[in-house]
Amino acid sequence: QVQLVESGGGLVTPGGSLKLSCKASGRVFSNVVMGWYRQAPGNKREFIATITSGGTARYADSVEDRFTISRHNARNTVDLQMDSLKPEDTAVYYCNIFLSGRRSEYDYWGQGTQVTVSP
């Protein structure tokens, strides 16, 4: 089993910054892909960013150039630095880890952390 614990959410004004962190524990493989997704009220959960163990990152177009994903392999942690936040970034943010090519067998989610961007 795998446990994911997120932290760092909160309330921020437009243009501000927040950093989300997630720590994985339990049966964590070294080659897992780590990432972040979000879900706003009434919307489906959407992809934000992922990063491989080798450091290759992918971003959604909506956050490219504003968000930065990073990970510390030895500590099994993944962070999401969010800058220039907009009201439309308001959502519950979820940490996710999975094995590429084996996602049906190994795919874990955190409990979510609320991010609210409001004046």
Side-chain angles (χ1 to χ4, degrees), residues 6-44:
E6 300 120 332
S7 61
L11 174 65
V12 64
T13 55
S17 298
L18 277 177
K19 184 176 182 179
L20 305 182
S21 297
C22 173
K23 180 169 178 58
S25 60
R27 190 167 166 258
V28 182
F29 294 102
S30 60
N31 59 334
V32 294
V33 179
M34 307 184 85
W36 292 91
Y37 293 70
R38 70 186 181 190
Q39 187 169 17
N43 290 356
K44 295 181 180 179

PDB file of all heavy atoms in Angstrom, residues 6-44:
ATOM      1  N   GLU A   6      -0.551  15.423   1.310  1.00  0.00           N
ATOM      2  CA  GLU A   6      -0.310  16.742   0.718  1.00  0.00           C
ATOM      3  C   GLU A   6      -0.339  17.810   1.793  1.00  0.00           C
ATOM      4  O   GLU A   6      -0.989  17.656   2.826  1.00  0.00           O
ATOM      5  CB  GLU A   6      -1.371  17.077  -0.325  1.00  0.00           C
ATOM      6  CG  GLU A   6      -1.463  16.115  -1.481  1.00  0.00           C
ATOM      7  CD  GLU A   6      -2.802  15.467  -1.602  1.00  0.00           C
ATOM      8  OE1 GLU A   6      -3.484  15.322  -0.569  1.00  0.00           O
ATOM      9  OE2 GLU A   6      -3.196  15.092  -2.721  1.00  0.00           O
ATOM     10  N   SER A   7       0.347  18.907   1.505  1.00  0.00           N
ATOM     11  CA  SER A   7       0.322  20.062   2.384  1.00  0.00           C
ATOM     12  C   SER A   7       0.589  21.308   1.553  1.00  0.00           C
ATOM     13  O   SER A   7       1.069  21.213   0.417  1.00  0.00           O
ATOM     14  CB  SER A   7       1.368  19.926   3.496  1.00  0.00           C
ATOM     15  OG  SER A   7       2.666  19.833   2.946  1.00  0.00           O
ATOM     16  N   GLY A   8       0.269  22.477   2.136  1.00  0.00           N
ATOM     17  CA  GLY A   8       0.632  23.727   1.497  1.00  0.00           C
ATOM     18  C   GLY A   8      -0.501  24.502   0.857  1.00  0.00           C
ATOM     19  O   GLY A   8      -0.290  25.598   0.353  1.00  0.00           O
ATOM     20  N   GLY A   9      -1.695  23.964   0.849  1.00  0.00           N
ATOM     21  CA  GLY A   9      -2.804  24.714   0.266  1.00  0.00           C
ATOM     22  C   GLY A   9      -3.202  25.886   1.135  1.00  0.00           C
ATOM     23  O   GLY A   9      -2.702  26.056   2.252  1.00  0.00           O
ATOM     24  N   GLY A  10      -4.109  26.717   0.627  1.00  0.00           N
ATOM     25  CA  GLY A  10      -4.575  27.853   1.401  1.00  0.00           C
ATOM     26  C   GLY A  10      -5.210  28.904   0.530  1.00  0.00           C
ATOM     27  O   GLY A  10      -5.554  28.657  -0.619  1.00  0.00           O
ATOM     28  N   LEU A  11      -5.350  30.094   1.112  1.00  0.00           N
ATOM     29  CA  LEU A  11      -5.955  31.243   0.440  1.00  0.00           C
ATOM     30  C   LEU A  11      -4.870  32.212   0.018  1.00  0.00           C
ATOM     31  O   LEU A  11      -3.982  32.555   0.832  1.00  0.00           O
ATOM     32  CB  LEU A  11      -6.944  31.923   1.384  1.00  0.00           C
ATOM     33  CG  LEU A  11      -7.570  33.230   0.917  1.00  0.00           C
ATOM     34  CD1 LEU A  11      -8.450  33.000  -0.307  1.00  0.00           C
ATOM     35  CD2 LEU A  11      -8.380  33.859   2.050  1.00  0.00           C
ATOM     36  N   VAL A  12      -4.935  32.661  -1.222  1.00  0.00           N
ATOM     37  CA  VAL A  12      -3.950  33.609  -1.740  1.00  0.00           C
ATOM     38  C   VAL A  12      -4.654  34.591  -2.671  1.00  0.00           C
ATOM     39  O   VAL A  12      -5.663  34.247  -3.298  1.00  0.00           O
ATOM     40  CB  VAL A  12      -2.806  32.855  -2.465  1.00  0.00           C
ATOM     41  CG1 VAL A  12      -3.314  32.124  -3.694  1.00  0.00           C
ATOM     42  CG2 VAL A  12      -1.652  33.782  -2.809  1.00  0.00           C
ATOM     43  N   THR A  13      -4.129  35.809  -2.751  1.00  0.00           N
ATOM     44  CA  THR A  13      -4.702  36.811  -3.644  1.00  0.00           C
ATOM     45  C   THR A  13      -4.171  36.605  -5.069  1.00  0.00           C
ATOM     46  O   THR A  13      -3.083  36.032  -5.256  1.00  0.00           O
ATOM     47  CB  THR A  13      -4.367  38.223  -3.176  1.00  0.00           C
ATOM     48  OG1 THR A  13      -2.945  38.342  -3.037  1.00  0.00           O
ATOM     49  CG2 THR A  13      -5.020  38.515  -1.827  1.00  0.00           C
ATOM     50  N   PRO A  14      -4.924  37.064  -6.076  1.00  0.00           N
ATOM     51  CA  PRO A  14      -4.456  36.922  -7.464  1.00  0.00           C
ATOM     52  C   PRO A  14      -3.067  37.521  -7.657  1.00  0.00           C
ATOM     53  O   PRO A  14      -2.769  38.594  -7.127  1.00  0.00           O
ATOM     54  CB  PRO A  14      -5.513  37.689  -8.258  1.00  0.00           C
ATOM     55  CG  PRO A  14      -6.749  37.575  -7.442  1.00  0.00           C
ATOM     56  CD  PRO A  14      -6.283  37.628  -6.017  1.00  0.00           C
ATOM     57  N   GLY A  15      -2.242  36.793  -8.403  1.00  0.00           N
ATOM     58  CA  GLY A  15      -0.867  37.205  -8.607  1.00  0.00           C
ATOM     59  C   GLY A  15       0.088  36.646  -7.580  1.00  0.00           C
ATOM     60  O   GLY A  15       1.311  36.747  -7.750  1.00  0.00           O
ATOM     61  N   GLY A  16      -0.438  36.052  -6.530  1.00  0.00           N
ATOM     62  CA  GLY A  16       0.394  35.500  -5.474  1.00  0.00           C
ATOM     63  C   GLY A  16       0.927  34.115  -5.792  1.00  0.00           C
ATOM     64  O   GLY A  16       0.715  33.584  -6.882  1.00  0.00           O
ATOM     65  N   SER A  17       1.622  33.549  -4.808  1.00  0.00           N
ATOM     66  CA  SER A  17       2.261  32.245  -4.970  1.00  0.00           C
ATOM     67  C   SER A  17       1.910  31.311  -3.826  1.00  0.00           C
ATOM     68  O   SER A  17       1.641  31.761  -2.707  1.00  0.00           O
ATOM     69  CB  SER A  17       3.786  32.406  -5.019  1.00  0.00           C
ATOM     70  OG  SER A  17       4.193  33.186  -6.117  1.00  0.00           O
ATOM     71  N   LEU A  18       1.942  30.024  -4.122  1.00  0.00           N
ATOM     72  CA  LEU A  18       1.809  28.974  -3.128  1.00  0.00           C
ATOM     73  C   LEU A  18       2.681  27.812  -3.553  1.00  0.00           C
ATOM     74  O   LEU A  18       2.906  27.601  -4.740  1.00  0.00           O
ATOM     75  CB  LEU A  18       0.365  28.477  -3.008  1.00  0.00           C
ATOM     76  CG  LEU A  18      -0.639  29.233  -2.153  1.00  0.00           C
ATOM     77  CD1 LEU A  18      -2.011  28.573  -2.264  1.00  0.00           C
ATOM     78  CD2 LEU A  18      -0.191  29.298  -0.710  1.00  0.00           C
ATOM     79  N   LYS A  19       3.127  27.038  -2.561  1.00  0.00           N
ATOM     80  CA  LYS A  19       3.881  25.828  -2.860  1.00  0.00           C
ATOM     81  C   LYS A  19       3.194  24.643  -2.201  1.00  0.00           C
ATOM     82  O   LYS A  19       2.992  24.637  -0.984  1.00  0.00           O
ATOM     83  CB  LYS A  19       5.321  25.942  -2.358  1.00  0.00           C
ATOM     84  CG  LYS A  19       6.186  24.750  -2.729  1.00  0.00           C
ATOM     85  CD  LYS A  19       7.629  24.971  -2.289  1.00  0.00           C
ATOM     86  CE  LYS A  19       8.522  23.819  -2.694  1.00  0.00           C
ATOM     87  NZ  LYS A  19       9.934  24.052  -2.293  1.00  0.00           N
ATOM     88  N   LEU A  20       2.838  23.667  -3.008  1.00  0.00           N
ATOM     89  CA  LEU A  20       2.251  22.434  -2.514  1.00  0.00           C
ATOM     90  C   LEU A  20       3.333  21.367  -2.405  1.00  0.00           C
ATOM     91  O   LEU A  20       4.231  21.305  -3.245  1.00  0.00           O
ATOM     92  CB  LEU A  20       1.149  21.935  -3.446  1.00  0.00           C
ATOM     93  CG  LEU A  20       0.017  22.911  -3.771  1.00  0.00           C
ATOM     94  CD1 LEU A  20      -1.012  22.237  -4.666  1.00  0.00           C
ATOM     95  CD2 LEU A  20      -0.625  23.449  -2.517  1.00  0.00           C
ATOM     96  N   SER A  21       3.220  20.549  -1.381  1.00  0.00           N
ATOM     97  CA  SER A  21       4.154  19.447  -1.191  1.00  0.00           C
ATOM     98  C   SER A  21       3.390  18.160  -0.968  1.00  0.00           C
ATOM     99  O   SER A  21       2.270  18.166  -0.445  1.00  0.00           O
ATOM    100  CB  SER A  21       5.068  19.715   0.010  1.00  0.00           C
ATOM    101  OG  SER A  21       5.870  20.851  -0.204  1.00  0.00           O
ATOM    102  N   CYS A  22       4.006  17.058  -1.373  1.00  0.00           N
ATOM    103  CA  CYS A  22       3.379  15.748  -1.203  1.00  0.00           C
ATOM    104  C   CYS A  22       4.470  14.741  -0.860  1.00  0.00           C
ATOM    105  O   CYS A  22       5.512  14.696  -1.511  1.00  0.00           O
ATOM    106  CB  CYS A  22       2.681  15.330  -2.483  1.00  0.00           C
ATOM    107  SG  CYS A  22       2.020  13.647  -2.484  1.00  0.00           S
ATOM    108  N   LYS A  23       4.209  13.952   0.169  1.00  0.00           N
ATOM    109  CA  LYS A  23       5.165  12.906   0.546  1.00  0.00           C
ATOM    110  C   LYS A  23       4.502  11.547   0.389  1.00  0.00           C
ATOM    111  O   LYS A  23       3.396  11.331   0.898  1.00  0.00           O
ATOM    112  CB  LYS A  23       5.654  13.085   1.976  1.00  0.00           C
ATOM    113  CG  LYS A  23       6.654  11.988   2.371  1.00  0.00           C
ATOM    114  CD  LYS A  23       7.347  12.271   3.657  1.00  0.00           C
ATOM    115  CE  LYS A  23       8.291  11.124   4.038  1.00  0.00           C
ATOM    116  NZ  LYS A  23       9.301  10.893   2.975  1.00  0.00           N
ATOM    117  N   ALA A  24       5.175  10.661  -0.292  1.00  0.00           N
ATOM    118  CA  ALA A  24       4.699   9.301  -0.479  1.00  0.00           C
ATOM    119  C   ALA A  24       5.415   8.374   0.482  1.00  0.00           C
ATOM    120  O   ALA A  24       6.615   8.500   0.711  1.00  0.00           O
ATOM    121  CB  ALA A  24       4.948   8.849  -1.916  1.00  0.00           C
ATOM    122  N   SER A  25       4.674   7.418   1.026  1.00  0.00           N
ATOM    123  CA  SER A  25       5.270   6.424   1.913  1.00  0.00           C
ATOM    124  C   SER A  25       4.630   5.072   1.632  1.00  0.00           C
ATOM    125  O   SER A  25       3.576   4.974   1.013  1.00  0.00           O
ATOM    126  CB  SER A  25       5.079   6.814   3.380  1.00  0.00           C
ATOM    127  OG  SER A  25       3.706   6.909   3.696  1.00  0.00           O
ATOM    128  N   GLY A  26       5.304   4.034   2.123  1.00  0.00           N
ATOM    129  CA  GLY A  26       4.808   2.684   1.874  1.00  0.00           C
ATOM    130  C   GLY A  26       5.576   2.048   0.739  1.00  0.00           C
ATOM    131  O   GLY A  26       6.771   2.222   0.584  1.00  0.00           O
ATOM    132  N   ARG A  27       4.866   1.324  -0.132  1.00  0.00           N
ATOM    133  CA  ARG A  27       5.475   0.570  -1.222  1.00  0.00           C
ATOM    134  C   ARG A  27       5.652   1.484  -2.444  1.00  0.00           C
ATOM    135  O   ARG A  27       4.908   1.423  -3.415  1.00  0.00           O
ATOM    136  CB  ARG A  27       4.582  -0.616  -1.561  1.00  0.00           C
ATOM    137  CG  ARG A  27       5.169  -1.628  -2.505  1.00  0.00           C
ATOM    138  CD  ARG A  27       4.313  -2.888  -2.487  1.00  0.00           C
ATOM    139  NE  ARG A  27       4.598  -3.780  -3.589  1.00  0.00           N
ATOM    140  CZ  ARG A  27       3.831  -3.891  -4.676  1.00  0.00           C
ATOM    141  NH1 ARG A  27       2.741  -3.168  -4.785  1.00  0.00           N
ATOM    142  NH2 ARG A  27       4.158  -4.723  -5.634  1.00  0.00           N
ATOM    143  N   VAL A  28       6.679   2.344  -2.378  1.00  0.00           N
ATOM    144  CA  VAL A  28       6.931   3.312  -3.428  1.00  0.00           C
ATOM    145  C   VAL A  28       8.103   2.854  -4.284  1.00  0.00           C
ATOM    146  O   VAL A  28       9.219   2.727  -3.781  1.00  0.00           O
ATOM    147  CB  VAL A  28       7.220   4.709  -2.837  1.00  0.00           C
ATOM    148  CG1 VAL A  28       7.438   5.718  -3.962  1.00  0.00           C
ATOM    149  CG2 VAL A  28       6.085   5.155  -1.928  1.00  0.00           C
ATOM    150  N   PHE A  29       7.865   2.623  -5.554  1.00  0.00           N
ATOM    151  CA  PHE A  29       8.917   2.210  -6.470  1.00  0.00           C
ATOM    152  C   PHE A  29       9.722   3.431  -6.916  1.00  0.00           C
ATOM    153  O   PHE A  29       9.188   4.533  -7.037  1.00  0.00           O
ATOM    154  CB  PHE A  29       8.319   1.515  -7.695  1.00  0.00           C
ATOM    155  CG  PHE A  29       7.648   0.213  -7.378  1.00  0.00           C
ATOM    156  CD1 PHE A  29       6.272   0.136  -7.306  1.00  0.00           C
ATOM    157  CD2 PHE A  29       8.385  -0.931  -7.143  1.00  0.00           C
ATOM    158  CE1 PHE A  29       5.634  -1.054  -7.017  1.00  0.00           C
ATOM    159  CE2 PHE A  29       7.764  -2.127  -6.847  1.00  0.00           C
ATOM    160  CZ  PHE A  29       6.378  -2.197  -6.779  1.00  0.00           C
ATOM    161  N   SER A  30      10.990   3.201  -7.211  1.00  0.00           N
ATOM    162  CA  SER A  30      11.868   4.319  -7.575  1.00  0.00           C
ATOM    163  C   SER A  30      11.518   4.918  -8.925  1.00  0.00           C
ATOM    164  O   SER A  30      11.829   6.077  -9.186  1.00  0.00           O
ATOM    165  CB  SER A  30      13.328   3.846  -7.586  1.00  0.00           C
ATOM    166  OG  SER A  30      13.493   2.802  -8.533  1.00  0.00           O
ATOM    167  N   ASN A  31      10.856   4.157  -9.804  1.00  0.00           N
ATOM    168  CA  ASN A  31      10.572   4.660 -11.146  1.00  0.00           C
ATOM    169  C   ASN A  31       9.141   5.174 -11.307  1.00  0.00           C
ATOM    170  O   ASN A  31       8.652   5.317 -12.426  1.00  0.00           O
ATOM    171  CB  ASN A  31      10.851   3.574 -12.175  1.00  0.00           C
ATOM    172  CG  ASN A  31      10.010   2.325 -11.941  1.00  0.00           C
ATOM    173  OD1 ASN A  31       9.599   2.046 -10.818  1.00  0.00           O
ATOM    174  ND2 ASN A  31       9.769   1.569 -12.990  1.00  0.00           N
ATOM    175  N   VAL A  32       8.494   5.500 -10.199  1.00  0.00           N
ATOM    176  CA  VAL A  32       7.127   6.026 -10.313  1.00  0.00           C
ATOM    177  C   VAL A  32       7.128   7.399 -10.960  1.00  0.00           C
ATOM    178  O   VAL A  32       8.090   8.169 -10.824  1.00  0.00           O
ATOM    179  CB  VAL A  32       6.417   6.120  -8.938  1.00  0.00           C
ATOM    180  CG1 VAL A  32       6.179   4.738  -8.357  1.00  0.00           C
ATOM    181  CG2 VAL A  32       7.191   7.002  -7.978  1.00  0.00           C
ATOM    182  N   VAL A  33       6.062   7.686 -11.662  1.00  0.00           N
ATOM    183  CA  VAL A  33       5.790   9.042 -12.143  1.00  0.00           C
ATOM    184  C   VAL A  33       4.996   9.737 -11.032  1.00  0.00           C
ATOM    185  O   VAL A  33       4.076   9.157 -10.462  1.00  0.00           O
ATOM    186  CB  VAL A  33       4.977   9.027 -13.447  1.00  0.00           C
ATOM    187  CG1 VAL A  33       4.691  10.449 -13.907  1.00  0.00           C
ATOM    188  CG2 VAL A  33       5.721   8.244 -14.532  1.00  0.00           C
ATOM    189  N   MET A  34       5.369  10.956 -10.729  1.00  0.00           N
ATOM    190  CA  MET A  34       4.682  11.724  -9.683  1.00  0.00           C
ATOM    191  C   MET A  34       4.029  12.931 -10.337  1.00  0.00           C
ATOM    192  O   MET A  34       4.587  13.517 -11.287  1.00  0.00           O
ATOM    193  CB  MET A  34       5.658  12.166  -8.600  1.00  0.00           C
ATOM    194  CG  MET A  34       6.473  11.016  -8.013  1.00  0.00           C
ATOM    195  SD  MET A  34       7.544  11.505  -6.644  1.00  0.00           S
ATOM    196  CE  MET A  34       6.399  11.390  -5.271  1.00  0.00           C
ATOM    197  N   GLY A  35       2.866  13.318  -9.822  1.00  0.00           N
ATOM    198  CA  GLY A  35       2.196  14.434 -10.473  1.00  0.00           C
ATOM    199  C   GLY A  35       1.137  15.095  -9.627  1.00  0.00           C
ATOM    200  O   GLY A  35       0.888  14.691  -8.477  1.00  0.00           O
ATOM    201  N   TRP A  36       0.550  16.126 -10.217  1.00  0.00           N
ATOM    202  CA  TRP A  36      -0.512  16.890  -9.578  1.00  0.00           C
ATOM    203  C   TRP A  36      -1.685  17.039 -10.533  1.00  0.00           C
ATOM    204  O   TRP A  36      -1.492  17.260 -11.740  1.00  0.00           O
ATOM    205  CB  TRP A  36      -0.013  18.272  -9.172  1.00  0.00           C
ATOM    206  CG  TRP A  36       0.985  18.249  -8.067  1.00  0.00           C
ATOM    207  CD1 TRP A  36       2.349  18.179  -8.176  1.00  0.00           C
ATOM    208  CD2 TRP A  36       0.699  18.278  -6.667  1.00  0.00           C
ATOM    209  NE1 TRP A  36       2.926  18.165  -6.930  1.00  0.00           N
ATOM    210  CE2 TRP A  36       1.930  18.229  -5.987  1.00  0.00           C
ATOM    211  CE3 TRP A  36      -0.468  18.354  -5.917  1.00  0.00           C
ATOM    212  CZ2 TRP A  36       2.023  18.257  -4.596  1.00  0.00           C
ATOM    213  CZ3 TRP A  36      -0.380  18.370  -4.538  1.00  0.00           C
ATOM    214  CH2 TRP A  36       0.854  18.327  -3.881  1.00  0.00           C
ATOM    215  N   TYR A  37      -2.874  16.933  -9.985  1.00  0.00           N
ATOM    216  CA  TYR A  37      -4.123  17.151 -10.691  1.00  0.00           C
ATOM    217  C   TYR A  37      -4.973  18.084  -9.842  1.00  0.00           C
ATOM    218  O   TYR A  37      -4.681  18.295  -8.668  1.00  0.00           O
ATOM    219  CB  TYR A  37      -4.863  15.818 -10.901  1.00  0.00           C
ATOM    220  CG  TYR A  37      -4.168  14.874 -11.843  1.00  0.00           C
ATOM    221  CD1 TYR A  37      -2.972  14.251 -11.489  1.00  0.00           C
ATOM    222  CD2 TYR A  37      -4.683  14.620 -13.108  1.00  0.00           C
ATOM    223  CE1 TYR A  37      -2.319  13.395 -12.358  1.00  0.00           C
ATOM    224  CE2 TYR A  37      -4.039  13.757 -13.988  1.00  0.00           C
ATOM    225  CZ  TYR A  37      -2.861  13.148 -13.597  1.00  0.00           C
ATOM    226  OH  TYR A  37      -2.221  12.295 -14.464  1.00  0.00           O
ATOM    227  N   ARG A  38      -6.014  18.631 -10.439  1.00  0.00           N
ATOM    228  CA  ARG A  38      -6.907  19.479  -9.650  1.00  0.00           C
ATOM    229  C   ARG A  38      -8.351  19.289 -10.103  1.00  0.00           C
ATOM    230  O   ARG A  38      -8.617  18.866 -11.231  1.00  0.00           O
ATOM    231  CB  ARG A  38      -6.499  20.951  -9.760  1.00  0.00           C
ATOM    232  CG  ARG A  38      -6.747  21.583 -11.121  1.00  0.00           C
ATOM    233  CD  ARG A  38      -6.174  22.998 -11.163  1.00  0.00           C
ATOM    234  NE  ARG A  38      -6.407  23.636 -12.451  1.00  0.00           N
ATOM    235  CZ  ARG A  38      -5.846  24.784 -12.827  1.00  0.00           C
ATOM    236  NH1 ARG A  38      -5.004  25.423 -12.004  1.00  0.00           N
ATOM    237  NH2 ARG A  38      -6.109  25.297 -14.010  1.00  0.00           N
ATOM    238  N   GLN A  39      -9.253  19.636  -9.197  1.00  0.00           N
ATOM    239  CA  GLN A  39     -10.672  19.537  -9.504  1.00  0.00           C
ATOM    240  C   GLN A  39     -11.391  20.723  -8.889  1.00  0.00           C
ATOM    241  O   GLN A  39     -11.368  20.903  -7.660  1.00  0.00           O
ATOM    242  CB  GLN A  39     -11.260  18.227  -8.982  1.00  0.00           C
ATOM    243  CG  GLN A  39     -12.685  17.993  -9.401  1.00  0.00           C
ATOM    244  CD  GLN A  39     -13.158  16.576  -9.110  1.00  0.00           C
ATOM    245  OE1 GLN A  39     -12.544  15.852  -8.324  1.00  0.00           O
ATOM    246  NE2 GLN A  39     -14.229  16.159  -9.756  1.00  0.00           N
ATOM    247  N   ALA A  40     -12.012  21.508  -9.744  1.00  0.00           N
ATOM    248  CA  ALA A  40     -12.820  22.635  -9.304  1.00  0.00           C
ATOM    249  C   ALA A  40     -14.270  22.179  -9.188  1.00  0.00           C
ATOM    250  O   ALA A  40     -14.673  21.211  -9.841  1.00  0.00           O
ATOM    251  CB  ALA A  40     -12.695  23.786 -10.293  1.00  0.00           C
ATOM    252  N   PRO A  41     -15.077  22.862  -8.385  1.00  0.00           N
ATOM    253  CA  PRO A  41     -16.481  22.468  -8.222  1.00  0.00           C
ATOM    254  C   PRO A  41     -17.200  22.393  -9.558  1.00  0.00           C
ATOM    255  O   PRO A  41     -17.117  23.317 -10.373  1.00  0.00           O
ATOM    256  CB  PRO A  41     -17.046  23.586  -7.342  1.00  0.00           C
ATOM    257  CG  PRO A  41     -15.882  24.093  -6.581  1.00  0.00           C
ATOM    258  CD  PRO A  41     -14.716  23.999  -7.519  1.00  0.00           C
ATOM    259  N   GLY A  42     -17.883  21.288  -9.796  1.00  0.00           N
ATOM    260  CA  GLY A  42     -18.642  21.110 -11.025  1.00  0.00           C
ATOM    261  C   GLY A  42     -17.821  20.667 -12.217  1.00  0.00           C
ATOM    262  O   GLY A  42     -18.364  20.464 -13.304  1.00  0.00           O
ATOM    263  N   ASN A  43     -16.499  20.534 -12.021  1.00  0.00           N
ATOM    264  CA  ASN A  43     -15.616  20.149 -13.129  1.00  0.00           C
ATOM    265  C   ASN A  43     -15.024  18.766 -12.893  1.00  0.00           C
ATOM    266  O   ASN A  43     -14.995  18.264 -11.772  1.00  0.00           O
ATOM    267  CB  ASN A  43     -14.478  21.152 -13.280  1.00  0.00           C
ATOM    268  CG  ASN A  43     -14.945  22.495 -13.791  1.00  0.00           C
ATOM    269  OD1 ASN A  43     -16.113  22.681 -14.112  1.00  0.00           O
ATOM    270  ND2 ASN A  43     -14.020  23.442 -13.844  1.00  0.00           N
ATOM    271  N   LYS A  44     -14.507  18.175 -13.970  1.00  0.00           N
ATOM    272  CA  LYS A  44     -13.789  16.916 -13.845  1.00  0.00           C
ATOM    273  C   LYS A  44     -12.378  17.190 -13.333  1.00  0.00           C
ATOM    274  O   LYS A  44     -11.845  18.289 -13.463  1.00  0.00           O
ATOM    275  CB  LYS A  44     -13.717  16.218 -15.207  1.00  0.00           C
ATOM    276  CG  LYS A  44     -15.053  15.773 -15.763  1.00  0.00           C
ATOM    277  CD  LYS A  44     -14.868  15.083 -17.101  1.00  0.00           C
ATOM    278  CE  LYS A  44     -16.214  14.622 -17.660  1.00  0.00           C
ATOM    279  NZ  LYS A  44     -16.067  13.961 -18.987  1.00  0.00           N
TER     280      LYS A  44
END
